[in-house]
Amino acid sequence: LLMMGGNFVYQFFAIFLTKTVALSESTAGLYFAAATVVGLGGSLVGGWCADHFGRRRVFFTSLLGNGVLLLVAPLFSNPMAGGIIAVVAIGIVGGAEPAINALLSDCTPAAQRKAAFSMLYMGANLGLALGSIAGGLLFRAGAHYIFLVDGMVAGTWLPRRDASGRVRLELRPFGRLASRDRDALESE
């Protein structure tokens, strides 16, 4: 839900390019097509990486990379650079989707898998619907807010160590670590 809801940049990418960057509609269409192709490539690479380096690691790395790029995109004085960074960020976040699907498949008993994937798709659709509304309000306030909030939403997934010492991903308020997690990180 959060991943799709926070994906404001992709939903408003064409409007950002035509209204903020002032590109022609045909040039904005080329950027949008490039973002789609790069996202597909990111998904293919992300699937391979999830199989070879671990699903959680790829999921976290994809969200973190996407978040960092989106947070720095508005800092560039040239809006065209922000558009190029957004294309790369969309490719990076595309790598999280196969990892999520594989994690869900790994963690769900076969008898419950169909229901689990239905819940995943329902959450994605709900996030997309609510994210579009929130993204529209953010775009109206200023296009740079879409990048900033999307980057911060990606940062809500933070790693933590469980009792066995394994790193887990958990939804947390941005930037907050529990005392046991700070202790575990400091002891390394």
Side-chain angles (χ1 to χ4, degrees):
L1 179 68
L2 268 175
M3 195 172 122
M4 288 307 296
N7 199 0
F8 306 131
V9 171
Y10 189 75
Q11 296 171 27
F12 291 93
F13 195 50
I15 298 170
F16 168 76
L17 291 173
T18 55
K19 303 292 183 198
T20 304
V21 181
L23 294 178
S24 69
E25 291 175 1
S26 59
T27 305
L30 291 174
Y31 268 87
F32 201 84
T36 303
V37 170
V38 169
L40 176 64
S43 190
L44 293 171
V45 171
W48 184 88
C49 289
D51 289 340
H52 289 84
F53 302 115
R55 287 119 162 78
R56 285 188 178 105
R57 183 175 291 149
V58 170
F59 175 69
F60 178 68
T61 304
S62 294
L63 289 184
L64 181 66
N66 176 58
V68 167
L69 284 176
L70 292 177
L71 284 172
V72 301
L75 301 177
F76 287 89
S77 59
N78 181 353
M80 187 77 76
I84 292 168
I85 289 173
V87 169
V88 174
I90 289 167
I92 290 174
V93 81
E97 291 183 38
I100 291 170
N101 291 333
L103 274 170
L104 187 62
S105 190
D106 291 346
C107 298
T108 309
Q112 297 174 341
R113 209 166 281 150
K114 187 174 182 180
F117 275 97
S118 293
M119 293 295 288
L120 176 70
Y121 298 139
M122 184 179 73
N125 288 331
L126 184 60
L128 191 60
L130 296 176
S132 295
I133 294 167
L137 294 172
L138 289 170
F139 190 82
R140 189 173 186 189
H144 64 284
Y145 289 121
I146 291 177
F147 290 94
L148 294 174
V149 172
D150 202 346
M152 288 190 304
V153 167
T156 59
W157 289 94
L158 295 174
R160 69 167 180 87
R161 294 214 179 263
D162 63 13
S164 68
R166 293 184 61 182
V167 174
R168 303 274 186 204
L169 288 177
E170 183 177 284
L171 181 62
R172 299 236 180 128
F174 187 70
R176 288 183 49 192
L177 289 175
S179 60
R180 70 175 187 276
D181 298 329
R182 281 193 300 271
D183 296 340
L185 292 173
E186 290 171 3
S187 67
E188 291 183 351

